[in-house]
Amino acid sequence: MALPRGLGLLLLLALGGPGAAITIPPEFLQPPELTEQPPEQLVVFPSDDVVLKCAATGNPPVQYRWTREDQPFIPGEHPGVTVAPGKGTLVINASLARRLQGRYRCFAANALGTALSLEARVIAENTPQWPKEKVMPVEVEEGDPVVLACDPPKSAVPPKIYWLNSRIVHIAQDARVSMGQDGFLYFANALAGDSHSDYICHAHYLGPRTIIQKEPLDLRVAPSNSVQSRRPRLVVPQNPQPPHVALRGGTLVLECIAEGLPTPVVRWQRLNGPLPRGRASLENFNKTLRLRAVEEADDGEYECVAENSQGQARHSHLVTVEAAPYWVRRPQSGVFGPGETARLDCLVEGKPRPRVAWRLNGVPIEEAPGAGRWAVREGALVLSRLEPNDTLVAQCEAHNRHGRLLANAFVYVVELPVKILTPDETLYTVVENQTVFLHCRAFGAPAPTVEWLTPGLEPALQDDRAFVFTNGTLRLGPAARGDGGPFTCRAHNAHSNASVVAHLDVKAATWIEVPPQSVTAKKGETVTFRCVAAFDPGLAPRGLEWRWDGRLLRETADSDKYSLTGDTLTVAGVDYADQGTFSCRAWTLLDAVEAEAQLRVVGRPGPVRDLQVLEVGERQVRLTWTPGDEHNSPVEKFVVEEEEGIFTPGRFVERLTVPGEQPWAPLTLSPYGRYRFRVLAANAYGRGEPSAPSAPISTPPAAPERNPGGVKGEGNETNNLVITWQPLAPGEWNAAEVRYRVQWRALEPALGRWREETVGGPPVVVGGTPTFSPYEIRVQAVNDAGKGPEPPIIVGYSGEDLPLVYPENVGVEILNSTSVRVRWSLAGGPRDLRGHLRGFRVLYWREGWVGERARRQAPPAPPGGHPRVLTVPGEASGVLLGGLRPWSRYRLQVVVFNGRGDGPPSDEIRFDTPEGVPGPPEELHVERVGETTLALEWKRPQHPNGILTGFLLQYRQVNQTEGGLPYEISFPAGTLNTTLGRLAPRGRYRFALRALTRLGPGPALLRQGSLLPEPVLPVLGSVVVGEVGEDFTVLHWTLAHPQANIEFEVQYMSKTTAEEPWRTSGRANSSLGLYRLGDLRPGTSYRVQFVGRNHSGERVAFWESEVQTNGTLVPSPAGGFATEGWFIGFVSAVVLLLLLLLILCFIKRSKGGKYSVKDKEDTQVDSEARPMKDETFGEYSDGEEKASGSSGRSLGAAGAALGSDDSLAGYGGSADVQFNEDGSFIGQYSGARGTAAGSSGPASPSAAPPLD
């Protein structure tokens, strides 16, 4: 066969590997190749034309012909049949479609060969119509199963089925009501609410674009009070059933629909292995198992199990997988040179095994010419010793009962030199461990031989990782970093040879260093995933992306659900719908790597479904339900809540709980109630939402089942009996209302007759009764349906009156200084009590200290005042009375009391408590009076608890390491101050002061004193220069008010020397009033300042000025008003006036003024007093560590004596003293105090008689 000159340079190959196609430019000769074919099946309706497409490319132009039922079909012989211009597409008018339906095939031919199309089957159908039928009502009882049939007209293309009502609203479907694959509507059990007259089946036919509907079905469900539970029964499928045949690559649908009560739950399992992951899904409320992309390994048994609380029903589906013919190796077109052998492979698989047949230019191979040069070997067509005129188109056709396959492939015989179509110097970039393909698309006839050389010019096939395809492509993999460099491709045939170079660059693979971690989170929490990836630095662009269940995640402006920042993904407010697989994908242009993490969202369970109430007996019901979503946490229990709609409508209360594996609960109902129930599930994360309330159920009235409790009989007056009880709750009435039959009768003096009264509620008041008489009482509940059970009898008493008896033989036993035991007995009979004995009261009064009356010869205090009371409940004959004051006089009485009140008191008893240890001294003041001297002043104890014999002072230095025992000093009872000298300078001391009686020391009063100067700043009145020399100056000052021994620094700085710092001259004392500032330069101006420490311990300057060595004092420009003369004069006048007033007061007092002093005996001990052990000072609280200057009055500034103002120590032998009953005294005093104001030693014993 002759070809146009230069054809070899213009033929283009697209050889991408096995199975590549050859494309020849249209202006040159080429065999026919089909571009459009008719479908294997075409269904048409009366208004549709039949259009069978057929088109092909080729040069010379292609001619078309058709066959029908394997016979030539001439369109011109059939009016109404045409062929599209320029194509082979066949168009049959709709009016001829039914007559001309059948099998069609298209042939496309030119001088180089003939191509053949698939066989198309044309089916003509009428527009579907539902036949007229008489529809009868479907009548069932509540709880029965129901099947509503559809049966639409048959069609080659099955319609889609919908169930709607007359308002064109879809019938709601759930686990109880659902549609099967056959279009029928199945009810597992009917409810009264299912009664409707407009169940309409609609069939949608896609071909004719038509929707037709069945006549409405009338479903009538009769309510029933005898609905019985039953085990599941399978409605679909119905036995026996042939095995299911599934086609490879198709979809398998298995179905199980069950009826039963409660509604069955369906689950699936594969008996010979697990369900295929990712391809199996459950639909239609688990009633349908759909298996996509069926594989041959999916053969086996699939079992469905329908179960409820009554039992199970099972069915096994036997599945056999077969396959329509499919290509294993498809014949490929080729260009060959004369003398070569062409091999066209046609390898087909299927089940059953397909039959394979070859055609040459549309003619069966058995009938084609040249039988000696072709042969079929193992399914491949082999053409030997090709000649230029052997160009043809071959067809391989395979078929079995499930379908057909057809492939056209041409054999083009031509002579051409070698040409490599792949560009030279092509760069291939790949990452390590990937497979790289280096292309060398060589063309020529005969077909050229291709050889590859490595960068070292060695044959590439010496490497086990290398493979060369028939199209010349070199496959190398997995690639290593050292494989980079230039690879050479050489192609040659008998006419010529050619070569190109391919450059290989191997990059580092992308990898994930830190993969995301799986997370279990509560609903509503925010979850963060982190993924760190590493890239080859030479690869760009690159990036990191996140996916959720395969869907790419991106941030959006209208939602903050997902936040992507760097290498993290944040999911906000996770919900159950968010759980799944989150994957991060690190990508470049060459590779990508992924890592996955699972998000599991846990939370409270979802609401239960299908709550049903079944009556199983008189006032006995059984609740059943279907558990909801567990939300990844197993249900631990179900909570049943109940609403009683008559008495407490709208309020659900918890009735009972059942285990999480028990989706049912039995209940016993009370009479006369209208009940609704709801159920909620609970797991480890709490209780879920409740289910929808059940349908209400009512119970008839009945007699009360119980009587009221808490029956009591007591009088609130001396002549009545009040009967009370706890009324029944409305839920216990068993009727619309309840009344109470109250009966009573007297027990004394003789058993009386029963009297009764029927009332709506408590109380019942019986009047005219004797005081405190017993009665038998009983209360019975009654309603319109009858009486409650026989009530029990209780004994009650009429009203009480005050007791007539009093305790006798009252005695007191002294136990110690603060406690006594009181005993008594009760005379008289129970009638004299006139009530229930409730107990006794001990009334006692404190009259003062022991010896006060004898010492002061005052008349005894009359009884009176409010006593202290100790109540002793029940029948007692004695009690321990504690909390008494030592060394005190008491009187005591005992009374008996009942529910009405107290009886008459017993005879009065008087007793004295023994002497005890004293309380702590009332005050202790410590003041620094010198560098090594502290002054102490104290007051007597507020509660001496006996005769004071003296005071014991213990002290020691704080943090002292030498010696372990404190110093001790004893003082007589009249000494109230002392001065301690020769102490450690700047030392801190702890003091413990105790008062003494004959029984020993009392608790200590603790204080702390310090010899450190007070950290305060002196307040200066004025500062002047007293004396000036060439190198010194003397500063004098006065204090605005007395401040002794306050130290401060004197600092100076030259004004003439630039940036000279402050220098310290020395320390001054506020009490000295002057300081000599020396080491100055003559004729020089200085700045001078005083620096001290404030209360916070900070160093601050409190005075500053300028001086010169010639004595000139430059006043400070910012002086305070305290240094002004007018202010100093004003303060001096005020002090003088106060001094005159004090002198007048002392003069008047010396003339015998009268004073009233009252010592409160019952006050609490000073809060600062603490007990202190003799052998150690123990630990001190913050209150005990206060500096002595912050407590009490100043010893140095006061003009009064250091003795206690509240004692008698300073008033000598005054005899006009009287004591009140509470221990306070009233006296008239004359004369001066016996101790001078400045005394620091003990007072004279004669001037300080003890108070005791």
Side-chain angles (χ1 to χ4, degrees):
M1 180 179 63
L3 293 175
R5 182 182 177 90
L7 175 63
L9 300 178
L10 297 173
L11 289 177
L12 302 177
L13 283 176
L15 300 176
I22 299 177
T23 303
I24 302 175
E27 60 265 28
F28 299 97
L29 296 179
Q30 58 179 332
E33 285 187 279
L34 288 172
T35 57
E36 289 185 343
Q37 298 190 60
E40 290 190 54
Q41 178 175 291
L42 179 64
V43 181
V44 296
F45 294 89
S47 60
D48 299 333
D49 290 340
V50 177
V51 179
L52 299 175
K53 293 184 177 182
C54 185
T57 61
N59 191 13
V62 177
Q63 303 296 321
Y64 299 94
R65 59 188 177 88
W66 287 86
T67 62
R68 176 175 176 269
E69 301 293 342
D70 298 326
Q71 299 299 320
F73 181 75
I74 311 300
E77 297 178 355
H78 301 275
V81 179
T82 60
V83 177
K87 294 185 178 182
T89 298
L90 188 67
V91 180
I92 303 175
N93 188 273
S95 60
L96 302 175
R98 194 166 188 83
R99 181 167 61 87
L100 294 180
Q101 60 183 342
R103 296 180 291 111
Y104 288 81
R105 176 166 280 181
C106 174
F107 294 78
N110 65 7
L112 301 184
T114 302
L116 187 65
S117 77
L118 288 169
E119 188 176 76
R121 184 177 189 83
V122 178
I123 300 174
E125 291 187 356
N126 293 324
T127 301
Q129 292 183 345
W130 223 300
K132 294 293 183 180
E133 58 182 339
K134 184 177 181 181
V135 178
M136 300 298 295
V138 179
E139 298 181 350
V140 296
E141 285 193 359
E142 185 177 4
D144 290 347
V146 181
V147 179
L148 300 183
C150 183
D151 287 328
K154 302 297 182 183
S155 172
V157 181
K160 291 186 176 181
I161 306 299
Y162 306 95
W163 283 89
L164 295 87
N165 59 21
S166 57
R167 299 186 302 278
I168 318 181
V169 176
H170 285 274
I171 302 299
Q173 298 187 29
D174 53 23
R176 186 179 63 87
V177 181
S178 61
M179 185 181 73
Q181 296 294 315
D182 55 6
F184 288 18
L185 192 62
Y186 293 89
F187 293 72
N189 48 78
L191 301 179
D194 295 332
S195 295
H196 295 289
S197 60
D198 55 351
Y199 287 90
I200 305 173
C201 175
H202 293 71
H204 181 198
Y205 292 86
L206 300 179
R209 298 176 295 281
T210 300
I211 298 177
I212 60 176
Q213 69 180 46
K214 186 182 178 73
E215 290 294 324
L217 297 178
D218 183 4
L219 175 60
R220 302 175 183 178
V221 181
S224 173
N225 291 326
S226 59
V227 178
Q228 298 293 325
S229 299
R230 63 182 181 278
R231 63 182 302 162
R233 179 180 66 86
L234 289 174
V235 181
V236 175
Q238 296 180 352
N239 290 326
Q241 186 185 31
H244 295 268
V245 176
L247 291 183
R248 174 183 178 272
T251 299
L252 170 66
V253 178
L254 302 178
E255 187 177 36
C256 277
I257 300 178
E259 61 90 3
L261 188 65
T263 300
V265 177
V266 180
R267 56 183 174 86
W268 291 85
Q269 59 186 357
R270 187 181 180 188
L271 298 183
N272 59 323
L275 290 173
R277 185 177 180 182
R279 296 187 292 114
S281 61
L282 297 178
E283 302 173 357
N284 196 22
F285 311 98
N286 290 4
K287 300 177 184 180
T288 302
L289 172 64
R290 185 178 298 273
L291 188 61
R292 298 181 299 277
V294 172
E295 300 174 356
E296 295 181 7
D298 295 334
D299 267 340
E301 278 191 274
Y302 295 80
E303 183 182 61
C304 66
V305 180
E307 57 187 348
N308 64 8
S309 59
Q310 303 299 309
Q312 293 181 342
R314 298 172 179 267
H315 180 82
S316 291
H317 296 266
L318 183 60
V319 175
T320 300
V321 178
E322 297 187 353
Y326 60 93
W327 295 113
V328 176
R329 188 175 301 161
R330 183 173 181 157
Q332 301 296 320
S333 299
V335 178
F336 303 91
E340 288 188 310
T341 297
R343 179 186 175 93
L344 301 181
D345 290 316
C346 181
L347 185 58
V348 181
E349 291 290 346
K351 189 177 181 180
R353 187 173 184 84
R355 297 181 58 187
V356 179
W358 283 93
R359 295 172 183 256
L360 299 180
N361 292 325
V363 178
I365 194 170
E366 298 84 2
E367 304 172 10
R373 292 188 295 113
W374 60 260
V376 177
R377 300 171 187 169
E378 297 179 354
L381 175 63
V382 179
L383 303 173
S384 305
R385 305 184 305 278
L386 290 175
E387 299 177 359
N389 293 329
D390 285 343
T391 298
L392 56 84
V393 179
Q395 292 86 30
C396 176
E397 188 171 25
H399 69 91
N400 64 10
R401 63 171 173 259
H402 299 301
R404 287 177 175 269
L405 281 180
L406 174 67
N408 290 274
F410 62 77
V411 175
Y412 200 175
V413 182
V414 65
E415 288 184 309
L416 292 173
V418 174
K419 181 175 180 60
I420 298 179
L421 303 180
T422 302
D424 196 9
E425 302 293 335
T426 300
L427 175 64
Y428 296 88
T429 306
V430 71
V431 298
E432 58 183 331
N433 297 321
Q434 281 189 343
T435 298
V436 62
F437 294 90
L438 306 182
H439 300 298
C440 185
R441 295 178 293 173
F443 183 73
T449 300
V450 176
E451 179 185 15
W452 280 94
L453 301 178
T454 66
L457 299 180
E458 296 178 352
L461 290 179
Q462 290 182 356
D463 192 332
D464 293 338
R465 298 175 297 150
F467 178 80
V468 179
F469 292 101
T470 57
N471 62 2
T473 297
L474 170 66
R475 182 187 69 193
L476 180 64
R481 295 297 295 273
D483 291 336
F487 284 73
T488 303
C489 172
R490 294 177 179 177
H492 61 89
N493 65 7
H495 301 287
S496 63
N497 58 64
S499 66
V500 294
V501 174
H503 294 276
L504 176 62
D505 184 11
V506 182
K507 302 287 188 180
T510 304
W511 75 98
I512 292 180
E513 294 179 333
V514 181
Q517 301 297 314
S518 297
V519 177
T520 297
K522 293 182 182 179
K523 177 184 177 183
E525 291 183 344
T526 296
V527 173
T528 299
F529 295 99
R530 183 168 181 260
C531 181
V532 179
F535 303 89
D536 188 299
L539 289 178
R542 61 196 184 194
L544 185 72
E545 61 187 22
W546 291 88
R547 295 177 182 271
W548 169 55
D549 286 345
R551 181 170 64 88
L552 182 63
L553 297 179
R554 299 185 185 276
E555 290 183 335
T556 58
D558 57 348
S559 173
D560 58 355
K561 181 71 174 179
Y562 301 105
S563 299
L564 291 89
T565 306
D567 55 10
T568 62
L569 165 67
T570 300
V571 186
V574 296
D575 205 341
Y576 304 117
D578 296 325
Q579 56 189 355
T581 301
F582 284 81
S583 60
C584 73
R585 180 175 180 268
W587 61 268
T588 66
L589 292 179
L590 299 180
D591 69 339
V593 62
E594 291 189 11
E596 295 181 350
Q598 301 296 321
L599 173 60
R600 182 170 170 263
V601 181
V602 297
R604 297 180 297 175
V608 305
R609 307 184 304 273
D610 303 330
L611 176 61
Q612 299 183 24
V613 183
L614 306 176
E615 293 189 50
V616 297
E618 184 180 1
R619 291 193 280 125
Q620 302 286 325
V621 298
R622 179 186 177 93
L623 304 185
T624 61
W625 58 86
T626 301
D629 196 332
E630 293 185 346
H631 294 153
N632 298 313
S633 179
V635 174
E636 297 175 351
K637 63 180 179 180
F638 293 101
V639 180
V640 178
E641 294 182 338
E642 174 188 277
E643 176 209 43
E644 201 294 300
I646 298 178
F647 298 104
T648 57
R651 183 166 66 93
F652 281 87
V653 296
E654 183 174 327
R655 177 67 185 271
L656 82 160
T657 61
V658 296
E661 63 275 7
Q662 177 182 319
W664 53 271
L667 292 176
T668 300
L669 306 182
S670 297
Y672 191 68
R674 185 167 60 250
Y675 299 95
R676 290 195 307 166
F677 303 94
R678 66 185 188 188
V679 179
L680 53 89
N683 61 14
Y685 297 95
R687 295 185 175 186
E689 293 296 322
S691 66
S694 67
I697 183 170
S698 300
T699 55
E705 297 176 348
R706 61 185 300 265
N707 290 312
V711 179
K712 293 190 299 184
E714 295 179 347
N716 56 12
E717 299 291 342
T718 58
N719 59 349
N720 73 357
L721 173 65
V722 180
I723 302 174
T724 59
W725 60 91
Q726 295 176 356
L728 296 178
E732 299 173 327
W733 293 0
N734 295 350
E737 63 177 11
V738 71
R739 297 178 301 281
Y740 301 96
R741 180 188 181 203
V742 183
Q743 297 177 296
W744 67 93
R745 66 180 177 183
L747 280 174
E748 294 179 0
L751 189 64
R753 63 180 182 84
W754 286 103
R755 301 172 60 192
E756 70 176 54
E757 185 176 346
T758 301
V759 295
V764 170
V765 180
V766 180
T769 62
T771 300
F772 196 64
S773 294
Y775 284 82
E776 287 186 342
I777 303 168
R778 58 188 182 188
V779 180
Q780 185 179 33
V782 297
N783 60 21
D784 293 339
K787 300 178 182 179
E790 191 67 21
I793 296 176
I794 65 101
V795 176
Y797 288 84
S798 58
E800 301 181 16
D801 205 347
L802 295 177
L804 299 176
V805 295
Y806 57 86
E808 297 178 347
N809 302 319
V810 178
V812 174
E813 177 186 356
I814 305 295
L815 300 179
N816 52 45
S817 61
T818 59
S819 301
V820 298
R821 184 178 300 281
V822 184
R823 291 188 174 87
W824 62 84
S825 62
L826 185 64
R831 286 189 130 328
D832 294 331
L833 275 174
R834 300 204 292 183
H836 296 287
L837 174 62
R838 301 297 175 89
F840 298 85
R841 303 190 210 277
V842 179
L843 316 176
Y844 59 101
W845 295 260
R846 182 178 181 274
E847 296 187 323
W849 300 108
V850 174
E852 281 182 345
R853 289 176 52 194
R855 177 183 294 232
R856 294 161 181 81
Q857 299 177 358
H866 296 290
R868 295 189 180 182
V869 179
L870 174 63
T871 301
V872 184
E875 297 184 4
S877 61
V879 70
L880 180 66
L881 179 61
L884 303 179
R885 192 75 56 78
W887 202 55
S888 297
R889 293 183 292 107
Y890 285 91
R891 57 189 177 90
L892 175 146
Q893 292 179 320
V894 184
V895 298
V896 64
F897 67 95
N898 60 17
R900 191 71 174 174
D902 295 348
S906 68
D907 294 336
E908 188 174 84
I909 296 295
R910 294 180 179 270
F911 63 92
D912 296 339
T913 56
E915 189 174 4
V917 297
E922 189 172 359
E923 292 183 10
L924 175 58
H925 301 291
V926 182
E927 184 169 349
R928 178 179 182 271
V929 295
E931 290 189 356
T932 60
T933 305
L934 292 175
L936 285 73
E937 179 185 4
W938 60 86
K939 289 185 179 181
R940 292 173 175 272
Q942 186 179 10
H943 302 297
N945 296 339
I947 301 174
L948 290 181
T949 60
F951 296 92
L952 175 63
L953 176 66
Q954 296 175 308
Y955 67 95
R956 68 181 298 172
Q957 188 174 352
V958 178
N959 298 329
Q960 181 181 4
T961 58
E962 298 180 1
L965 297 176
Y967 298 99
E968 291 189 0
I969 303 176
S970 297
F971 300 98
T975 300
L976 301 178
N977 58 75
T978 189
T979 300
L980 301 178
R982 292 185 294 178
L983 302 176
R986 308 178 69 85
R988 297 172 62 209
Y989 287 85
R990 289 176 178 158
F991 297 93
L993 182 64
R994 291 178 170 85
L996 306 173
T997 64
R998 287 190 295 266
L999 292 186
L1005 176 61
L1006 306 180
R1007 288 291 183 269
Q1008 183 169 302
S1010 174
L1011 290 166
L1012 290 170
E1014 295 184 356
V1016 295
L1017 301 176
V1019 181
L1020 303 179
S1022 63
V1023 182
V1024 297
V1025 176
E1027 185 180 353
V1028 177
E1030 290 184 356
D1031 61 351
F1032 73 93
T1033 183
V1034 179
L1035 302 176
H1036 295 266
W1037 61 81
T1038 61
L1039 299 176
H1041 55 79
Q1043 288 178 294
N1045 297 321
I1046 300 178
E1047 294 184 351
F1048 55 89
E1049 291 181 356
V1050 179
Q1051 297 180 348
Y1052 66 98
M1053 179 178 64
S1054 174
K1055 292 185 61 179
T1056 59
T1057 303
E1059 299 181 358
E1060 180 178 348
W1062 286 98
R1063 290 186 291 176
T1064 300
S1065 171
R1067 300 184 66 84
N1069 192 296
S1070 63
S1071 300
L1072 298 179
L1074 61 87
Y1075 182 81
R1076 185 180 187 276
L1077 179 61
D1079 296 329
L1080 305 179
R1081 293 190 296 270
T1084 304
S1085 295
Y1086 289 91
R1087 294 175 61 192
V1088 183
Q1089 68 178 8
F1090 295 165
V1091 178
R1093 293 187 182 272
N1094 59 15
H1095 284 285
S1096 301
E1098 300 172 342
R1099 290 168 51 86
V1100 296
F1102 60 91
W1103 177 86
E1104 181 180 343
S1105 187
E1106 296 180 5
V1107 299
Q1108 293 180 348
T1109 50
N1110 59 11
T1112 303
L1113 175 64
V1114 182
S1116 174
F1121 68 86
T1123 62
E1124 298 293 336
W1126 65 268
F1127 179 74
I1128 296 172
F1130 173 75
V1131 173
S1132 300
V1134 172
V1135 172
L1136 181 60
L1137 181 59
L1138 291 174
L1139 184 58
L1140 291 174
L1141 292 175
L1142 287 173
I1143 293 172
L1144 291 174
C1145 289
F1146 276 108
I1147 293 173
K1148 185 173 181 180
R1149 184 169 182 178
S1150 65
K1151 293 182 179 181
K1154 295 183 179 180
Y1155 299 88
S1156 175
V1157 181
K1158 182 175 183 180
D1159 184 9
K1160 297 293 184 181
E1161 295 292 340
D1162 297 332
T1163 58
Q1164 297 297 323
V1165 177
D1166 182 8
S1167 62
E1168 292 186 352
R1170 303 282 194 275
M1172 178 177 180
K1173 296 181 181 180
D1174 293 339
E1175 63 275 5
T1176 178
F1177 276 66
E1179 297 295 331
Y1180 291 81
S1181 66
D1182 292 342
E1184 296 163 356
E1185 295 286 351
K1186 293 180 180 178
S1188 60
S1190 62
S1191 64
R1193 49 183 176 151
S1194 172
L1195 294 176
L1202 294 176
S1204 171
D1205 292 339
D1206 294 336
S1207 73
L1208 301 180
Y1211 300 100
S1214 174
D1216 296 332
V1217 179
Q1218 293 182 357
F1219 282 79
N1220 287 332
E1221 295 157 332
D1222 61 354
S1224 65
F1225 62 88
I1226 301 174
Q1228 297 180 349
Y1229 310 104
S1230 62
R1233 297 184 180 226
T1235 303
S1239 173
S1240 61
S1244 171
S1246 62
L1251 174 63
D1252 309 291

